Amino acid sequence: MQYDLLSLQPVLPEIFMLGAACVVLVVDLFLSQRTRYWTYGLTLAALVGAIAVTAWTATSGTQVLFDGSYVRDPVSDVLKLAILTIDLFVMAYARDYLDQQEIYRGEFYILSLFATLGMMVMASANNFLTVYLGLELLALSVYALVAFDRDSIKGAEAAMKYFVLGALASGMLLYGLSMLYGATGALNFLEVSAAIASGNIDETVLVFGLVFVVIGVAFKFGAVPFHMWVPDVYHGAPTAVTLFLGSVPKIAAFSLAIRLLANGAGGLSAHWSDMLTILAIASLAIGNIVAIAQDNIKRMLAYSTISHVGFIFLGFIAADSRGYGAALFYTVVYALTAAGGFGLLTVISRKGFDAENLHDLKGLNDKSPWLAAMMMLVLFSMAGVPPTVGFFAKLFVLEAVIRVDMVWLAAVAVIFSIIGAFYYLRAVKVMYFDKPIDDQPIIASVDSRLAISVNGVAILLLGIFPAGLLAVCRAAFVG
Amino acid sequence: MTADWPILSVTIWLPIIGGLLVLMSGDKAPGVSRWGALLIALLTFALSIPLYPGFDASTAQMQFVENRPWIPMFNVNYHLGVDGISMPLILLTTFITPLVVIAGWEVIQYKPSQYMAAFLIMEGVMVGVFAALDAMLFYVFWEAMLIPMFIIIGVWGGPRRVYATIKFFLYTFLGSVFMLVALIYMYFKSGSMEILAFHDLKLGMTEQVLIFIAFLLAFAVKVPMWPVHTWLPDAHVEAPTGGSVILAAIMLKIGGYGFLRFSLPITPDASHSLDWMIIGMSLIAVVYIGFVALVQQDMKKLIAYSSIAHMGFVTLGFFIVFIIVSRSDVHAGAVLGVQGGMVQMVSHGFISAAMFLCVGVLYDRLHSRQIADYGGVVNVMPWFAAFMVFFSMANAGLPGTSGFVGEFMVILASFRADFWFAVLAATTLTIGAAYTLWMVKRVIFGEVTSEGVAALQDINAREALVLTSLALAVLVLGLWPAPLVEVMNASIGNLVQHIGVSKL
C-alpha cells in the first residue's frame, strides 16, 4: 500500500501532542526536584506548540482519514484550540499550588498531556471506536490524577469512586454503542446516520441503544441523575486537579455529545432531545438548589457545574446548528470561567493552607482587591450577569430554546438561574463584606497571578465584545 | 440634530473608564481618588450639557443617534439615541453624580477609591440604560447596574447591609430575567432587537398580556410599586448616603422610564386592559404607603416610603392615559398625565436626593437615624435646618417647589379619567404633608433634647454646596417648569398618539 506522509497532515496536532508528551515523560525522568521547572516549561511549550500546529494545519473544509475513523473539520479545530488554550491556563495556575502543597511532580504534567491528547482524539472522532479510545485515554489519565496526592485519604477515596462509577458509565456507553452498531451495521458516523435516515432499521433497537449512549454522555458531563460523582471527586481531588477536571474535560464532553448525538444519531434527535430536556431540567434544579447548602467552595462549584451542564444541554435540544453553536459557546465560556474560579483557589492557597471553604475567601478584598475583582467577575459570569461573558452564554442558549417555541423551558431555566445567583452572591459577599479571619498575606507566583488576570479580564472583555467568539462557534457548525 | 462628536458614548464611557482608573489608583493616596472622581464626574456633567441646547424639541425623533453593529449574528447593535423622555433623565444622572461624590468626600474612609469608582461606573451604566435604543444593549446596562450597587450597599452600608443588598439584588434580578425572555421572544417576532421596531410590532392579545406581565415584573420591582416594594426600605436604610441618593434619585426612575419606553408602546392593548391593576397599585402606593410612612421611627425609612408614594404618582400618571384616551379624542389630558409623571420623576430625583443627603448630614454627626434621637436641631444647626425645612416642604408638594408641579399635573389629569382617582391621589397633599412635616417638627424644632444634639456642628461649605445646588434645582423647576416640559412635549405627544392605536 502506498502511504503518502503528507496525507497525515490533518492529524499532525495529535501526533505533535503524543510526541511532546513522550518527550516530557522521558525528560522528566532525568530531572531532580530542583530542576523540575523544565517539565513545566516543556509542558507549556507543548501546549503552545500544539495550538500553533492546530492553527497552522486548519482548513475550512472537512477531511476524513483512516477509513473514516477520524475527521478534521472546523468543529474539531475550535474544540481543540479551546481545549489547549484553557489547558494552558490550568498549567499556569497549577505549578505554584503543587509546589506549595509539596506534590510538585512530573506525573501531573504527563498525565495532563495524555488526557489532553485523549480529548483531542475525541474532538476529531468519526466513529464509535475512536470516540471510545479518546474517552478512555482521558478517563484513565484523570482517574490517576485524582489520586495524585497519594497520601491523601480523601483523594484516594475520590479516585476510587470516580473509577468505579466512570467504568460503569463507560460500560453503559459501550453497550449502547454496540446496540447502535448491531442495528446499523456501521461504526462510522456517516454510515450510521445514513442507515438511520434510510428508515429500514427497527427504531426500538435504535432508541434502546440511544438511551445507553445518552446515559454515558450524561455521566461524563455530570448531569442529574448521573451526577453523584461530581461533588465527591471535585472535593476529594487536590485543587489543581479539580481545576483541570472541572474545566477542560467539559469541552471534551461536549465533543462526545456532538459526535455521538448530533453526527451519529442525528436522525434520532426527536428522541434524544426529549431525554436531554429532562436531564437539563433536573440538572438545573438539583445543581442550583443543592449548591446553596454547600460551605465547601469546591463542592459548591461542583453543583454549580451540574447546573451549567443543564444549560449546555438546553442548547442541544433545538438539534440544529444554531443550537449547537450556542452550546459550544456556553461550554467554552464555562470552561474558561471554571478555570478562573478554581484557579483563584489555587492562587490564594499557600503552604500548609488549602483554600477550599467559603470562609477562606473572607475579606479577600481587604487582602488583594485585584484578586477579589477577578473572582467577582468569575462569579458574576457564572451567575450570568452582564457585562460578563456568562450572560451572553445564557442568552444565546435561551435564544436557541425560544426559537424552537419552548418559551416555558426558557422560563424554567431563568427561574433556576435566579436561585443560582444566590450562592454566587454569597461568595461575593464573603469576599467583599466580611473581614479577613487571618492576616496572612497572599503569596502567589507571577505565572499564576498573570493567569488569573488574563482569565478575569478575558471574561469581561468577551462579555463586552462577544461577537468574535460567537462567530467562531457559529461558523464551526454552519460552515 | 447631531453633534460632531459622539456625545452619548462619551457620557457613558468617560465615567466608566474614569471609574476604572480611580479603582486602579488604589487607597494609598485617597486624595487622588477623591479629586480624580470629582474631576471625572464634573467633566461628564459638563460634556453632557450640550444635550440640552442641541436638542430639537419640535420632533419626537431620536437624536444624537449612534449606531454600530455589536453582535451581527443576532442583529444586535450598539444603538444609542435620546428623545424628550430620556434626555432629561440623562442630565439628572450626570447632575446628581458629582453631588454624590462630594457628599462622600470625608465621610467614606474605608476604601474610598472603590467607593468613588463604583459610583462613577454606576453613572455611566445608568446613562447607558437611558440612551440605549437596542433592547439587548438596554438589558446589558440594566443588569450591569446591579453589580456596583450590590457592592456599594454591601461594603459601606449599615449593620444589616448583607441582608439588604442580597435582597435588593435578587429582587431586581428576579424581575428582570423575565423581561429578557420577553425581549428574546420579540426578537424572533420582529427579527431585530431595535426597541423602535418593537414599538411597531403587531402582537396578539395573549402575547401582549404575557409580555406586559414580564415587563411589569421588571419595572414594578424597580419603581418600586406596591406590593413588590419591600426591598426598597431595607436597601435605603442600610445603604450609605450616596447609595441611597443614587437609588432614589435615578435607579427608581429607570423603572418609570421602562414603562414609557417598553410597556406602553409595545403592549398598548394589554396595558389598556390591565390599566385598572396598575392604577389600583399606584393608588394603594399613594394612600397606604403614605400612612406607612407616617409611623416610621427611622428617618431614612420614612423617606424611602415617601419615595414609594411619590413614585405611585408617576405610574398613576402613565396609566390613566388609557382611560382618558378611550373617553374622547382629546389627547391633551392624556399628555398631561404622562408629562406630570415625567416631571414628578425629575423633581423626585432632586428632592429625594436632597432629603437623603440631609439625613446623611445628621447621621454623619450623631450616627443615628432615629427620629427620637433628635429634637431642636434648629437651635444648633440653623443653616441646615433651613435646608431641611425647605426640602421637606418640597417633598410635601408646596407650590413654588418642583414637588408641586408634577403632583398637580397628575391630579389634574386624573380628574379627566375618574373623579375618585383624583380624590384619592389628592390625599397625598395631606398625608405627604403630615408625615414629612411631623418628622421635621420632631427632628428640627422644639427644645434641644440631648447632649448629642447640643454638640452638633452646622453644615460645612462642602455640605452647603451640595444642598444649595439641589435647592436651586428644586426652586427653578418649581417656578419655571416650562424648559423641562417643552423638551418632552413632542415625544410624549407622539407616545400618546402611538398607544391610542390598537395593535390587534
Side-chain angles (χ1 to χ4, degrees):
Chain A
M1 196 173 101
Q2 284 290 319
Y3 216 91
D4 183 6
L5 264 184
L6 271 181
S7 70
L8 285 179
Q9 191 180 334
V11 77
L12 205 56
E14 282 83 356
I15 295 174
F16 178 84
M17 189 44 107
L18 178 62
C22 294
V23 169
V24 174
L25 174 65
V26 173
V27 169
D28 185 66
L29 275 179
F30 296 97
L31 293 176
S32 67
Q33 195 60 27
R34 214 162 36 77
T35 51
R36 187 75 69 213
Y37 56 84
W38 277 104
T39 314
Y40 171 62
L42 281 175
T43 306
L44 291 186
L47 290 171
V48 173
I51 291 173
V53 170
T54 311
W56 178 58
T57 54
T59 54
S60 55
T62 302
Q63 294 154 291
V64 179
L65 280 89
F66 305 130
D67 289 333
S69 61
Y70 175 96
V71 63
R72 181 84 193 266
D73 55 4
V75 184
S76 69
D77 290 337
V78 175
L79 287 170
K80 279 178 210 170
L81 288 175
I83 288 168
L84 292 166
T85 312
I86 292 167
D87 228 359
L88 209 52
F89 280 108
V90 172
M91 294 305 139
Y93 288 125
R95 187 196 60 81
D96 199 24
Y97 176 86
L98 295 173
D99 200 10
Q100 286 165 354
Q101 306 297 321
E102 293 172 351
I103 45 175
Y104 187 28
R105 283 191 286 275
E107 287 81 358
F108 177 83
Y109 296 100
I110 293 146
L111 288 169
S112 304
L113 286 178
F114 276 110
T116 307
L117 177 63
M119 293 189 269
M120 292 168 76
V121 170
M122 284 164 80
S124 269
N126 201 36
N127 83 9
F128 289 145
L129 288 180
T130 320
V131 160
Y132 193 74
L133 200 67
L135 181 64
E136 285 308 290
L137 182 54
L138 165 67
L140 288 174
S141 312
V142 173
Y143 299 146
L145 273 177
V146 172
F148 182 63
D149 185 4
R150 62 180 177 204
D151 301 325
S152 155
I153 296 168
K154 257 191 336 186
E157 182 193 328
M160 203 62 207
K161 274 183 192 157
Y162 192 23
F163 176 67
V164 171
L165 289 175
L168 188 66
S170 295
M172 296 259 191
L173 182 67
L174 206 52
Y175 182 66
L177 295 181
S178 70
M179 282 291 155
L180 292 182
Y181 174 56
T184 60
L187 287 170
N188 184 319
F189 293 148
L190 278 177
E191 291 165 30
V192 170
S193 61
I196 293 172
S198 70
N200 299 329
I201 298 162
D202 184 3
E203 206 167 57
T204 320
V205 183
L206 288 175
V207 175
F208 184 77
L210 183 67
V211 171
F212 288 96
V213 172
V214 169
I215 290 175
V217 171
F219 180 90
K220 295 298 168 190
F221 263 111
V224 176
F226 310 103
H227 66 287
M228 300 301 184
W229 62 275
V230 181
D232 288 339
V233 173
Y234 278 31
H235 182 189
T239 308
V241 174
T242 312
L243 161 67
F244 180 73
L245 190 61
S247 53
V248 200
K250 290 289 168 270
I251 304 174
F254 177 87
S255 343
L256 186 68
I258 204 79
R259 293 299 179 199
L260 286 178
L261 298 180
N263 291 12
L268 299 170
S269 66
H271 294 282
W272 56 251
S273 102
D274 284 351
M275 297 177 203
L276 291 187
T277 310
I278 297 167
L279 292 174
I281 295 174
S283 304
L284 284 168
I286 303 282
N288 279 320
I289 292 170
V290 180
I292 294 174
Q294 306 304 321
D295 285 325
N296 182 296
I297 200 159
K298 280 156 81 179
R299 284 190 93 83
M300 186 191 98
L301 288 176
Y303 281 104
S304 128
T305 304
I306 295 169
S307 72
H308 286 285
V309 166
F311 255 100
I312 295 173
F313 278 4
L314 287 183
F316 275 91
I317 286 168
D320 59 8
S321 59
R322 283 175 78 104
Y324 299 146
L328 174 58
F329 185 85
Y330 199 105
T331 314
V332 172
V333 165
Y334 176 72
L336 182 72
T337 316
F342 289 114
L344 186 104
L345 293 183
T346 65
V347 171
I348 63 173
S349 296
R350 55 177 182 268
K351 210 176 177 89
F353 165 73
D354 199 353
E356 58 170 26
N357 287 313
L358 213 45
H359 60 75
D360 293 333
L361 287 178
K362 271 191 179 171
L364 185 60
N365 185 37
D366 272 347
K367 288 184 180 178
S368 167
W370 179 252
L371 289 181
M374 293 301 115
M375 186 63 175
M376 181 172 74
L377 287 174
V378 165
L379 290 165
F380 277 125
S381 178
M382 286 187 176
V385 181
T388 56
V389 66
F391 163 71
F392 287 99
K394 286 202 165 61
L395 173 72
F396 298 146
V397 166
L398 289 177
E399 189 257 6
V401 172
I402 294 178
R403 203 157 29 82
V404 287
D405 279 335
M406 293 177 98
V407 181
W408 65 272
L409 192 57
V412 170
V414 296
I415 288 172
F416 283 117
S417 36
I418 298 164
I419 297 174
F422 174 74
Y423 57 84
Y424 298 122
L425 283 186
R426 202 172 53 160
V428 176
K429 172 230 150 198
V430 169
M431 289 192 305
Y432 275 85
F433 310 159
D434 291 348
K435 294 276 161 250
I437 38 178
D438 56 37
D439 51 2
Q440 295 280 334
I442 290 165
I443 306 157
S445 63
V446 180
D447 44 358
S448 57
R449 269 181 195 275
L450 186 68
I452 190 88
S453 305
V454 174
N455 201 332
V457 172
I459 289 171
L460 183 63
L461 283 183
L462 284 174
I464 297 174
F465 305 105
L469 182 59
L470 180 67
V472 170
C473 292
R474 181 66 69 75
F477 290 98
V478 179
Chain B
M1 183 176 156
T2 344
D4 300 334
W5 43 289
I7 181 164
L8 289 172
S9 281
V10 170
T11 319
I12 294 170
W13 293 104
L14 176 69
I16 292 179
I17 293 169
L20 292 176
L21 290 177
V22 168
L23 194 63
M24 298 286 178
S25 76
D27 293 317
K28 296 218 171 59
V32 174
S33 37
R34 287 184 184 130
W35 283 106
L38 181 62
L39 186 74
I40 292 158
L42 286 176
L43 194 62
T44 311
F45 180 51
L47 289 174
S48 68
I49 286 176
L51 282 177
Y52 189 85
F55 188 82
D56 179 3
S58 63
T59 166
Q61 292 295 312
M62 289 296 166
Q63 303 178 35
F64 303 103
V65 173
E66 294 168 39
N67 199 350
R68 280 188 201 87
W70 181 30
I71 312 174
M73 292 73 85
F74 277 87
N75 220 345
V76 170
N77 298 310
Y78 176 77
H79 190 179
L80 302 175
V82 287
D83 63 357
I85 297 170
S86 47
M87 194 272 284
L89 294 171
I90 290 180
L91 288 181
L92 177 70
T93 312
T94 54
F95 172 70
I96 295 285
T97 307
L99 300 183
V100 169
V101 169
I102 300 173
W105 202 263
E106 290 148 7
V107 185
I108 301 299
Q109 292 295 337
Y110 178 73
K111 294 204 179 285
S113 69
Q114 291 189 359
Y115 179 86
M116 298 296 175
F119 279 104
L120 288 176
I121 294 172
M122 191 81 180
E123 177 186 15
V125 171
M126 288 186 301
V127 173
V129 170
F130 291 127
L133 289 182
D134 184 284
M136 198 39 60
L137 189 64
F138 171 86
Y139 188 82
V140 167
F141 281 127
W142 166 280
E143 288 275 59
M145 257 181 341
L146 295 180
I147 299 177
M149 203 62 199
F150 177 75
I151 300 290
I152 288 169
I153 300 177
V155 175
W156 294 277
R160 288 174 72 237
R161 60 185 199 272
V162 173
Y163 168 78
T165 197
I166 290 188
K167 186 171 176 181
F168 157 77
F169 192 102
L170 289 182
Y171 240 103
T172 23
F173 197 52
L174 171 78
S176 45
V177 287
F178 290 100
M179 174 168 76
L180 178 65
V181 176
L183 292 179
I184 302 176
Y185 180 80
M186 286 190 289
Y187 163 70
F188 285 118
K189 285 277 165 176
S190 70
S192 88
M193 276 282 184
E194 291 293 317
I195 296 175
L196 296 181
F198 290 171
H199 286 188
D200 299 324
L201 184 65
K202 289 265 177 262
L203 292 165
M205 194 61 189
T206 325
E207 288 170 312
Q208 281 201 31
V209 169
L210 288 175
I211 292 172
F212 179 79
I213 289 171
F215 282 140
L216 181 65
L217 280 171
F219 301 141
V221 165
K222 210 77 163 190
V223 166
M225 298 176 75
W226 180 88
V228 284
H229 64 278
T230 62
W231 64 269
L232 185 78
D234 285 316
H236 267 319
V237 169
E238 300 305 328
T241 305
S244 298
V245 170
I246 292 292
L247 203 54
I250 305 161
M251 279 185 82
L252 306 193
K253 309 303 172 294
I254 288 172
Y257 170 76
F259 277 118
L260 289 185
R261 186 63 87 219
F262 289 87
S263 301
L264 296 183
I266 294 176
T267 60
D269 302 292
S271 307
H272 191 174
S273 66
L274 292 172
D275 60 353
W276 55 272
M277 184 169 79
I278 309 291
I279 292 174
M281 283 157 70
S282 308
L283 288 173
I284 290 174
V286 171
V287 179
Y288 163 73
I289 299 292
F291 279 113
V292 173
L294 202 55
V295 296
Q296 295 307 316
Q297 304 295 319
D298 181 306
M299 285 188 273
K300 265 190 156 178
K301 231 174 188 163
L302 190 147
I303 303 167
Y305 278 111
S306 124
S307 290
I308 302 170
H310 282 109
M311 291 305 286
F313 260 95
V314 175
T315 43
L316 180 67
F318 292 166
F319 278 85
I320 48 173
V321 171
F322 292 100
I323 297 182
I324 302 173
V325 169
S326 65
R327 288 201 159 182
S328 62
D329 288 336
V330 188
H331 287 316
V335 171
L336 191 67
V338 179
Q339 265 178 355
M342 274 298 295
V343 173
Q344 173 79 347
M345 290 218 288
V346 176
S347 142
H348 180 257
F350 295 137
I351 297 173
S352 63
M355 290 299 282
F356 279 116
L357 286 165
C358 284
V359 177
V361 166
L362 289 177
Y363 182 79
D364 293 340
R365 288 166 171 71
L366 268 192
H367 295 284
S368 164
R369 293 179 305 256
Q370 296 299 315
I371 296 175
D373 290 347
Y374 293 90
V377 171
V378 70
N379 298 309
V380 285
M381 301 174 74
W383 281 103
F384 170 74
F387 278 116
M388 177 106 177
V389 170
F390 172 75
F391 289 124
S392 303
M393 293 293 183
N395 197 38
L398 187 78
T401 62
S402 63
F404 174 74
V405 183
E407 286 182 13
F408 185 67
M409 288 164 91
V410 173
I411 295 173
L412 218 54
S414 37
F415 260 112
R416 299 218 180 186
D418 193 308
F419 171 72
W420 289 106
F421 292 171
V423 170
L424 283 173
T427 57
T428 192
L429 295 174
T430 336
I431 307 171
Y435 60 71
T436 324
L437 298 183
W438 192 32
M439 176 187 78
V440 167
K441 185 220 148 218
R442 284 178 290 170
V443 172
I444 301 285
F445 298 116
E447 296 296 311
V448 174
T449 49
S450 66
E451 287 176 17
V453 173
L456 287 177
Q457 297 283 315
D458 209 341
I459 44 174
N460 57 28
R462 174 179 64 84
E463 290 159 337
L465 173 71
V466 173
L467 293 177
T468 311
S469 342
L470 283 167
L472 281 179
V474 169
L475 264 182
V476 168
L477 186 58
L479 295 172
W480 194 41
L484 175 63
V485 175
E486 275 163 15
V487 290
M488 305 188 304
N489 226 344
S491 299
I492 291 179
N494 182 49
L495 175 73
V496 170
Q497 203 119 43
H498 180 90
I499 59 182
V501 182
S502 169
K503 277 189 168 188
L504 295 175

